[in-house]
Amino acid sequence: MKKVAIIGGGQLAEAMVAGLIKSGYDPQLIWVTNRQVVRQQYFNDTYGVRAGTANVDALAWCDMVALAVKPYQVKDVCMDIASHVGDKPLISLAAGINLDALQGWLTAKAQVFRAMPNVAMRVQQGVVAFCATERVGLVTREEVQQLFSRVGHVVWLDDESHFSVVTAISGSGPAYYFLLSESLIEAAQALGLSYSLAKQLVNQTAYGSIEVARESNVDWNLLRQQVTSPNGTTDAAISWLSKSHFSEIILSAVKAAASRAEELHLDIDTQ
């Protein structure tokens, strides 16, 4: 197992730590850095990992580093640690920051990866999309893939320009499903069910539907048709959604997320 430093202590950092620990990763091989003492103590008490404020100390100790800070913080953190990274793999988990910018803020020796994970890493069911600079060797790519395969499904992008769409689909995607579930629970309550019962029904329906899709070799479109009897209850709901331009709404929402991912990098460039 590699020694991993994670700079940043937010939700993605915690999802990664939680998933790695669940996979059997040695907590003492993980070092989380964060400026907030309370947050450091939380990581130490909850997960048994090393925690502190000194990025330099963590970098001197680790074999690879994951950058899990907010996009607007990436430039300052990279420039602060540039002389300490050496040729260790550095994986940026920040939305909107491209490889050229990352490499420019570091040194020519740094082996730089760009990744877009999601919070499902927490339960080892994340999606982690990657691309890397040309100087990253095959062995290093495999080592990074092995680490992140512990927390979910790894995909490699041949075209970095696709990152904005990936961010909008799988990076932001869990929030869309949470919103749908939240709305279904609210609808059930409005029609007379208790919150507790509504949550049970919605959670299990979501879980069961995903399991059916995972075990099937057919498209989601066909699965939907199999549940939708003509003139039945499901058909009534699906017809109403179609008349309300549900697909167009989803497309517009994803476009908005992808556009914001592009803007994040432009925002950094103007600072």
Side-chain angles (χ1 to χ4, degrees):
M1 293 182 183
K2 299 290 184 179
K3 292 182 289 186
V4 182
I6 302 174
I7 298 178
Q11 292 301 314
L12 273 183
E14 184 171 359
M16 182 176 173
V17 170
L20 286 173
I21 300 302
K22 283 179 181 292
S23 78
Y25 216 82
D26 184 349
Q28 285 300 295
L29 294 180
I30 302 171
W31 189 331
V32 178
T33 66
N34 191 267
R35 290 175 295 182
Q36 299 179 15
V37 176
V38 172
R39 194 65 176 162
Q40 295 170 32
Q41 194 63 50
Y42 169 80
F43 273 98
N44 185 259
D45 292 344
T46 305
Y47 300 105
V49 300
R50 300 166 183 258
T53 58
N55 294 336
V56 172
D57 291 345
L59 285 169
W61 167 87
C62 74
D63 297 311
M64 62 178 66
V65 55
L67 199 57
V69 298
K70 299 295 185 183
Y72 72 89
Q73 298 173 310
V74 173
K75 181 177 180 179
D76 288 342
V77 172
C78 283
M79 296 181 74
D80 183 54
I81 66 174
S83 61
H84 303 280
V85 173
D87 62 355
K88 295 176 181 179
L90 182 142
I91 306 103
S92 171
L93 309 184
I97 311 300
N98 65 32
L99 288 172
D100 284 345
L102 291 165
Q103 192 77 63
W105 297 330
L106 295 163
T107 66
K109 292 195 304 180
Q111 300 192 73
V112 183
F113 293 78
R114 180 180 178 184
M116 176 44 58
N118 64 26
V119 295
M121 291 190 297
R122 179 186 296 271
V123 292
Q124 299 174 264
Q125 295 297 327
V127 176
V128 191
F130 278 104
C131 64
T133 58
E134 291 182 358
R135 75 173 312 275
V136 175
L138 179 60
V139 172
T140 304
R141 285 170 62 108
E142 290 176 348
E143 290 173 347
V144 169
Q145 175 159 335
Q146 286 174 8
L147 177 72
F148 281 88
S149 292
R150 287 176 167 269
V151 295
H153 181 68
V154 171
V155 299
W156 290 91
L157 303 183
D158 295 327
D159 188 342
E160 188 182 2
S161 68
H162 292 158
F163 253 95
S164 294
V165 179
V166 171
T167 299
I169 295 296
S170 60
S172 301
Y176 311 155
Y177 288 98
F178 297 153
L179 176 60
L180 174 60
S181 296
E182 179 185 355
S183 298
L184 287 170
I185 290 171
E186 290 175 352
Q189 288 182 280
L191 296 175
L193 298 187
S194 68
Y195 173 79
S196 177
L197 177 56
K199 185 176 180 180
Q200 288 182 56
L201 293 175
V202 169
N203 284 359
Q204 186 57 39
T205 300
Y207 177 81
S209 299
I210 293 299
E211 285 301 297
V212 169
R214 282 164 58 96
E215 292 186 8
S216 299
N217 293 320
V218 300
D219 292 337
W220 287 60
N221 177 274
L222 180 57
L223 292 175
R224 175 180 58 77
Q225 292 180 42
Q226 291 173 351
V227 181
T228 310
S229 300
N231 298 316
T233 58
T234 308
D235 188 47
I238 297 297
S239 295
W240 195 93
L241 289 171
S242 296
K243 290 176 184 177
S244 301
H245 307 289
F246 181 74
S247 295
E248 290 88 340
I249 290 171
I250 296 300
L251 176 58
S252 295
V254 171
K255 282 182 175 179
S259 177
R260 182 56 187 146
E262 294 286 347
E263 290 171 358
L264 285 171
H265 182 69
L266 294 176
D267 289 347
I268 301 298
D269 278 347
T270 58
Q271 291 179 6

